[in-house]
Amino acid sequence: MRQKKTLSQILRRLEAALLAAGTLWIAAVTAGSDTAAAAVSALAEALPERMLRWELGDLWTAGGLSPAAALAIGESPLLLAAREDVTERWTLERQEPPEEDGETQAPTVVPVEETPVEPAAPLAADNGVPAKTLIPTDPSGYTICGRVYISNSTAHELSISELQKPFAAALGESEPQVLILHTHGSEAYTPVPGTEGIVWSGDYRTTDYRYNVVRVGDEMAEVLGEAGISVLHDRTLYDYPNYTGAYDRALAAIQTYLEKYPSIRFVLDVHRDAIEDGQGNQYKAVSEVEGVGIPAQMSLVMGSDGSGLEHPNWLENLRLAAAVQQDVLEHYPTLMRPVLLRNSRYNQHATTGSLLLEVGAAGNSPEEAVLAGRLFAERLAAVLTEKGEKDGEEPAGEAERGTKEREAAS
């Protein structure tokens, strides 16, 4: 009898607690309502959302699953036996959503250890942003392949011998051979003080092609074309007016291009980085090149299958990145920051010749970024041409060479 009484008391207390919680929630939802009708309307809007969140497990979870899911699994011995595996997979999927849902931030290169060095030479077109040259000084945390430092944030173990094997992608005879695009095309640079006529669409973002990464793509396309490599440059701003979903839109475009132009072997997604000091102030990364100037430093961000999305040939892309970076650093020792290998794939599963290149940072001037893009494109052309010669492939005829561009709507 005493046990029944105790149970009854617990149930009454539970009911009271639930009633109190419900009352507080109703009060919070209707706090801004001036009339009873407005309060009822607010409840009608909020209740379905709360019920759905409870059902999906966003409102409260039990052992990694929503209460609704836990109750459903408990009703079936077969499902109950697999609960641990289901919970683990469900939790992992929620921790790292598929990139097709739209990445909300641009990839930011943060190597394990880089020491800022003050540039000795005066800066051309100085925009007033503090300048640093970022170089790795401690091999700890890196995979080092020749001159190439790789910061690996995936679970994959990298083999130096595997990285040094020839990359698979090669120039063909048909055109176009290279696609340049910009998933985050509105990413912009900092012009010199007093520059007028710029319309900013966000923090360090603009649709003005004179000051965003599309201008860098223009320069790279011109350089590759001069080297006899046919380029298609897509100048579409896939991150404007909506930033979210830019990778989805860019992937759809890449797939369309590959279907229309099967000759495309290389896809370059050109971005820019954003680098801040400990106080949140922007600074720019530069590299002194004697006899040339002071271009922005660059970095290659390479994807993998670490997120669980299909990307079987990520190592081929990484081999390409390592080969190109090795060549660039042989000519310009501080122009490239360490390669960053990440779990996300950044649409690089589309080809075995895909690279994501970050040219400079938001603090760099447009001139510094354009010079960097030119130097990178020159070395990329040399690497791809040499690969074609070694493979015994003749490049496309001079008469048919050139650069094809698809202009984006302003």
Side-chain angles (χ1 to χ4, degrees):
M1 186 72 178
R2 181 182 180 87
Q3 185 178 2
K4 289 183 178 180
K5 184 176 181 181
T6 301
L7 180 60
S8 178
Q9 291 175 343
I10 293 175
L11 290 175
R12 284 200 298 272
R13 290 176 182 174
L14 181 60
E15 290 174 358
L18 291 173
L19 181 60
T23 302
L24 289 174
W25 177 74
I26 292 173
V29 172
T30 60
S33 303
D34 297 329
T35 63
V40 172
S41 177
L43 283 173
E45 292 180 2
L47 187 58
E49 177 188 352
R50 289 288 175 163
M51 293 297 293
L52 180 58
R53 288 182 59 191
W54 180 83
E55 193 70 26
L56 295 173
D58 286 335
L59 190 60
W60 175 68
T61 60
L65 296 173
S66 69
L71 289 173
I73 289 175
E75 292 299 316
S76 168
L78 183 60
L79 293 178
L80 189 60
R83 172 171 177 163
E84 183 176 348
D85 293 337
V86 172
T87 302
E88 180 180 0
R89 180 172 179 81
W90 185 89
T91 303
L92 288 173
E93 288 177 350
R94 290 180 60 80
Q95 288 174 347
E96 187 163 0
E99 63 196 48
E100 280 80 3
D101 290 340
E103 297 197 8
T104 58
Q105 295 183 353
T108 301
V109 177
V110 185
V112 178
E113 184 67 29
E114 290 180 277
T115 300
V117 178
E118 297 284 351
L123 300 176
D126 187 7
N127 59 4
V129 179
K132 304 287 184 182
T133 300
L134 302 176
I135 55 176
T137 56
D138 184 352
S140 302
Y142 290 103
T143 298
I144 302 176
C145 180
R147 294 176 178 264
V148 180
Y149 281 65
I150 302 175
S151 177
N152 180 10
S153 59
T154 75
H156 293 292
E157 293 186 8
L158 299 179
S159 165
I160 304 301
S161 60
E162 286 294 324
L163 289 172
Q164 292 177 332
K165 290 182 178 179
F167 55 87
L171 295 173
E173 296 183 0
S174 301
E175 299 182 357
Q177 299 155 314
V178 175
L179 168 65
I180 298 177
L181 81 163
H182 310 273
T183 298
H184 297 145
S186 70
E187 290 178 329
Y189 301 98
T190 303
V192 296
T195 302
E196 298 180 354
I198 307 176
V199 178
W200 299 99
S201 59
D203 292 339
Y204 302 100
R205 296 180 182 279
T206 182
T207 59
D208 192 330
Y209 292 147
R210 295 174 298 170
Y211 303 103
N212 61 29
V213 295
V214 176
R215 179 179 172 185
V216 179
D218 288 338
E219 186 74 9
M220 296 178 67
E222 181 178 342
V223 171
L224 291 173
E226 291 171 351
I229 298 174
S230 177
V231 180
L232 191 156
H233 183 202
D234 181 353
R235 307 176 84 237
T236 304
L237 303 181
Y238 290 105
D239 62 340
Y240 182 83
N242 296 318
Y243 186 81
T244 301
Y247 274 94
D248 295 337
R249 293 187 287 274
L251 177 59
I254 291 171
Q255 292 171 335
T256 299
Y257 283 125
L258 293 178
E259 291 176 2
K260 186 175 182 180
Y261 304 106
S263 58
I264 293 175
R265 307 293 177 85
F266 298 90
V267 177
L268 307 181
D269 190 359
V270 181
H271 295 243
R272 67 110 175 96
D273 202 352
I275 309 174
E276 298 179 347
D277 60 19
Q279 288 71 46
N281 302 312
Q282 294 286 331
Y283 69 90
K284 56 183 174 182
V286 298
S287 171
E288 297 180 40
V289 178
E290 186 176 356
V292 176
I294 302 184
Q297 281 187 299
M298 296 173 285
S299 53
L300 288 165
V301 182
M302 304 308 297
S304 72
D305 57 0
S307 66
L309 296 175
E310 185 178 355
H311 188 5
N313 297 316
W314 64 268
L315 184 56
E316 290 294 348
N317 287 327
L318 187 58
R319 287 192 184 111
L320 170 63
V324 174
Q325 178 124 331
Q326 174 70 23
D327 181 273
V328 174
L329 293 177
E330 287 176 356
H331 291 80
Y332 313 114
T334 62
L335 186 57
M336 301 298 297
R337 297 174 62 197
V339 175
L340 182 61
L341 178 63
R342 284 193 155 188
N343 286 317
S344 298
R345 61 184 184 180
Y346 303 118
N347 294 338
Q348 293 172 7
H349 60 293
T351 71
T352 57
S354 294
L355 297 173
L356 190 157
L357 176 67
E358 295 202 327
V359 181
N364 282 101
S365 69
E367 294 79 10
E368 292 162 348
V370 168
L371 178 55
R374 167 167 285 274
L375 296 178
F376 183 89
E378 288 175 353
R379 298 320 313 162
L380 175 63
V383 171
L384 299 187
T385 302
E386 182 181 359
K387 172 70 157 49
E389 292 173 350
K390 286 183 178 180
D391 292 347
E393 296 181 7
E394 294 293 332
E398 290 289 345
E400 297 180 354
R401 290 172 181 169
T403 299
K404 298 180 180 180
E405 294 186 354
R406 180 164 69 88
E407 300 287 345
S410 301

